[in-house]
Amino acid sequence: EHKIEVRVKAKGAQVRHRQWYRDKPVSEAIAERTLAVMRFGPEDNPLDARVEIGTGQEQGDTVLVPVRVKVPMAKLYLQPGEGKRSGRLRLYVVASGGGTTTPVRQTKLVTLNVPESDAAAVATKEYTYEIGISLKKGTYALGVGVRDELAAATSYLRKEFVLGEEPAGR
């Protein structure tokens, strides 16, 4: 939190202003932007990431939906060190449909390690991360944030999909 102090040179002038402001942590700002992109768009994709929705598994009245996020390895910053290159990713996922919105889920930090001898071959491949979301059948909008922690680059993606039968009346 930061205190704001305003000084005015003009005598008799009055100033109305906020007393303080709070810097948001990077993770909170990314989670909020992921939610906004899911609701309103537009996408911003400097990492050229892609989202695929897999076939869900029914679990009672919900379906466990596999969401695959694919990022070209060539777009990730892999820091050289002791015979390997290392990168770090974090993903944020949120879904909305049927009048409800899931909380924005943030993955643990994903560390990528590539042996230096494989670095050139891996550059032509994609890294895939899969996360499962439990949803009821219906029409959804999905928001995904993909953060390359070392390069401080973030992609924001949006995907719409129908899970199961189309709800009646649509």
Side-chain angles (χ1 to χ4, degrees):
E1 293 182 1
H2 302 277
K3 184 178 178 179
I4 299 172
E5 184 177 311
V6 178
R7 295 181 187 159
V8 180
K9 290 184 179 183
K11 291 188 180 200
Q14 291 183 345
V15 177
R16 292 177 21 181
H17 63 89
R18 294 175 61 175
Q19 300 298 311
W20 59 274
Y21 74 94
R22 181 177 69 94
D23 280 335
K24 288 183 185 175
V26 171
S27 61
E28 188 178 322
I30 293 170
E32 287 178 0
R33 178 127 186 244
T34 301
L35 182 63
V37 166
M38 180 215 46
R39 288 193 175 137
F40 312 112
E43 290 187 348
D44 181 17
N45 194 4
L47 298 174
D48 289 340
R50 293 183 300 118
V51 175
E52 295 176 355
I53 307 297
T55 303
Q57 269 188 313
E58 291 197 32
Q59 298 178 329
D61 64 342
T62 62
V63 179
L64 182 62
V65 181
V67 175
R68 286 182 209 91
V69 180
K70 297 184 174 193
V71 184
M73 292 293 286
K75 289 290 188 169
L76 300 174
Y77 178 69
L78 299 175
Q79 186 172 12
E82 300 185 27
K84 66 179 179 181
R85 292 184 181 217
S86 298
R88 296 194 312 229
L89 284 179
R90 192 175 310 267
L91 286 88
Y92 301 77
V93 180
V94 62
S96 181
T100 63
T101 300
T102 67
V104 179
R105 289 177 52 187
Q106 175 181 324
T107 65
K108 292 182 180 176
L109 189 63
V110 177
T111 301
L112 308 171
N113 288 311
V114 176
E116 190 65 49
S117 58
D118 295 343
V122 168
T124 62
K125 307 227 184 282
E126 288 182 319
Y127 174 76
T128 302
Y129 188 90
E130 186 172 306
I131 186 170
I133 302 178
S134 196
L135 302 169
K136 293 185 177 188
K137 292 180 180 178
T139 302
Y140 287 90
L142 180 76
V144 176
V146 182
R147 171 93 171 161
D148 181 334
E149 295 285 349
L150 295 179
T154 308
S155 283
Y156 297 96
L157 307 168
R158 182 178 196 279
K159 186 158 187 92
E160 293 183 5
F161 65 99
V162 176
L163 185 57
E165 302 273 329
E166 185 74 21
R170 290 198 120 199

